[in-house]
Amino acid sequence: MTVVPPIALSFFQSQNCRRCGLPRLYAGCVWAVSTIACIFPSAIALAQNPLNQFPLGFEFADTLDEATARGEGERRVVLLVPSALRGGRNGNDIGPATEAFRAGPLVDNRIARLISRRFVAYGFDMDKRGSRYDEEAAQIAISICPDLQFPSVMPASPLLMVTPQGKELGQIDMFCTGDALLEALTKVVNENDAYRELRPDEQALDDIQRAEVYYDLRQFDHCIEQLEGLKTSQAYYLRGAIAREQGEWAEMKAAFKMVTDEDRKMDIQMQEVRRYWTIGNYEGIKALVGGLDRRFPHYQEALYYGGLALFHTDQREEALKTWEEGVLADPETAWALRLDWTRAMAKSGPDTPLLSRSGPESLLKRNYLSPQGNSDLNRN
């Protein structure tokens, strides 16, 4: 007999069954006689969701009901992440295309922050044999993308952005780059007033907190307006971060120079690494990353760029060692997944899109399916 945690019990008692309309666990609900959720007998604790392994800065919902409830209550877009291909599944039953998607675009800090503000992600199987098969979510996906009714022949599903009621707002290929996904997510937010504008709870925040929300939403003009007259380290840091993303290097340096908070100074070091990557200053990256201590808060991300700098200056073996060091520094983080995926792709080459978890390529023993690979490796 399954013991239902009190918190989970109270949550599901407050929700109505999407099939019969009656409250969950109500005696008259024929779909909820033996389970806490009408569709998923395993939907008890979010911690059981394998998609939340390697924390990304946001959490995947464990059920469609949870995703839609949060979407309605918190004014969020539901980001449906269907998994189609059955072959090459990882030990946690995550498909290889979904694993590559997690390792690639979803590790991007800009994307994680935007999703955490305006989206709720829900991953599920399209194949009935999958452990996370969801008939209702599958029907929504098929109504938008009819080809998804043939999951056995699709290497990857499109990502679907929908309202809590299931109306399509946008979609994009799972094999997209981080920049392409960021553009698609931002477009959905900006084109819909309910998601573009601040919620009442966000409007009640102080100036610096509202500025942080606008920064995460990629509404930089509004962010700068909120920072008007503020002279704190956080205010200067946000101005500098925006300038860095917009390629305004003089403004970036001027803003960062005013930051006095020691923790923020370490964040500025990472911003400088990202700037060097943007302009292709590989020697600058190597110089900055080479002197970093393991206690540096962005250590794994820094090693990711350090490896790229080595890779693009014909130091392939040194790059592989750098990425390996990054993975082993903390194998349970999102950046460990990105480092492992990148190292595996670089080690096996572009002609081996499906990597064997039993082979030497993946230190984390993952399968990744990404035909285009990591675009950061293909930079000219």
Side-chain angles (χ1 to χ4, degrees):
M1 177 179 177
T2 300
V3 178
V4 180
I7 294 177
L9 181 62
S10 63
F11 172 79
F12 282 103
Q13 284 176 327
S14 67
Q15 306 298 308
N16 290 334
C17 173
R18 295 176 62 85
R19 298 197 179 198
C20 69
L22 293 172
R24 293 204 180 283
L25 304 183
Y26 181 72
C29 175
V30 296
W31 298 100
V33 173
S34 60
T35 64
I36 186 170
C38 300
I39 302 174
F40 297 100
S42 61
I44 296 175
L46 186 62
Q48 295 176 350
N49 189 337
L51 289 168
N52 289 320
Q53 185 184 8
F54 306 104
L56 295 164
F58 64 91
E59 292 181 325
F60 279 82
D62 201 45
T63 68
L64 180 61
D65 280 331
E66 181 190 340
T68 55
R70 289 191 61 198
E72 291 172 353
E74 302 173 16
R75 277 169 46 183
R76 291 176 179 271
V77 179
V78 177
L79 180 63
L80 296 178
V81 186
S83 187
L85 191 71
R86 284 295 302 165
R89 288 281 174 129
N90 290 285
N92 54 11
D93 207 30
I94 294 178
T98 303
E99 197 71 289
F101 177 62
R102 288 203 305 161
L106 292 189
V107 176
D108 189 313
N109 298 315
R110 303 167 302 170
I111 292 170
R113 287 197 301 268
L114 181 56
I115 291 177
S116 72
R117 294 288 188 185
R118 285 295 182 271
F119 294 82
V120 53
Y122 174 57
F124 59 97
D125 278 314
M126 293 297 299
D127 193 307
K128 293 182 179 180
R129 296 169 294 171
S131 64
R132 296 187 60 78
Y133 175 68
D134 180 339
E135 181 180 357
E136 186 174 5
Q139 289 305 313
I140 294 173
I142 290 171
S143 71
I144 297 172
C145 182
D147 287 346
L148 281 172
Q149 63 187 300
F150 309 110
S152 61
V153 299
M154 294 192 70
S157 309
L159 304 169
L160 306 174
M161 290 156 268
V162 302
T163 67
Q165 294 73 37
K167 177 184 176 183
E168 181 189 2
L169 297 174
Q171 60 176 275
I172 189 170
D173 193 310
M174 189 178 287
F175 293 139
C176 64
T177 64
D179 286 340
L181 178 59
L182 182 65
E183 181 180 354
L185 296 176
T186 304
K187 182 174 183 287
V188 166
V189 171
N190 287 339
E191 290 183 348
N192 294 272
D193 292 346
Y195 308 120
R196 182 181 65 253
E197 298 175 357
L198 266 57
R199 301 188 301 257
D201 62 308
E202 294 169 333
Q203 293 173 358
L205 299 172
D206 62 31
D207 289 343
I208 194 69
Q209 292 171 325
R210 284 197 300 274
E212 290 169 349
V213 174
Y214 281 127
Y215 178 74
D216 291 347
L217 295 179
R218 318 289 299 167
Q219 297 178 22
F220 294 153
D221 289 344
H222 289 315
C223 181
I224 293 297
E225 290 175 5
Q226 290 295 317
L227 296 172
E228 186 69 30
L230 298 181
K231 298 181 180 180
T232 64
S233 282
Q234 178 64 358
Y236 285 119
Y237 176 77
L238 286 173
R239 291 187 186 101
I242 290 172
R244 199 273 302 172
E245 293 212 40
Q246 295 179 329
E248 299 170 348
W249 311 132
E251 291 82 352
M252 181 200 83
K253 291 181 179 180
F256 284 159
K257 187 177 181 180
M258 301 300 293
V259 174
T260 57
D261 181 85
E262 292 302 320
D263 290 337
R264 275 305 184 199
K265 286 183 178 180
M266 288 190 283
D267 294 336
I268 289 171
Q269 283 183 275
M270 193 63 236
Q271 291 282 7
E272 189 69 4
V273 172
R274 295 170 189 146
R275 181 177 80 89
Y276 281 156
W277 169 252
T278 299
I279 64 178
N281 185 346
Y282 301 133
E283 295 305 320
I285 293 176
K286 287 189 277 186
L288 280 176
V289 174
L292 293 177
D293 186 271
R294 277 197 176 209
R295 291 170 294 182
F296 182 66
H298 306 282
Y299 186 66
Q300 288 179 300
E301 182 183 359
L303 290 187
Y304 172 72
Y305 287 108
L308 288 174
L310 292 165
F311 184 83
H312 288 293
T313 52
D314 299 320
Q315 295 174 276
R316 181 176 178 275
E317 291 304 315
E318 291 84 350
L320 294 175
K321 290 178 182 178
T322 298
W323 290 324
E324 179 176 354
E325 179 186 347
V327 173
L328 298 180
D330 190 346
E332 298 183 356
T333 68
W335 276 104
L337 197 65
R338 166 72 73 86
L339 287 157
D340 184 63
W341 171 60
T342 304
R343 177 184 176 277
M345 294 304 298
K347 195 173 179 65
S348 63
D351 297 327
T352 312
L354 184 59
L355 307 177
S356 171
R357 62 174 176 264
S358 62
E361 295 90 349
S362 171
L363 296 169
L364 298 177
K365 308 303 180 187
R366 321 302 295 173
N367 277 338
Y368 304 105
L369 178 62
S370 47
Q372 286 79 36
N374 183 345
S375 61
D376 288 345
L377 294 177
N378 304 324
R379 174 189 269 194
N380 295 325

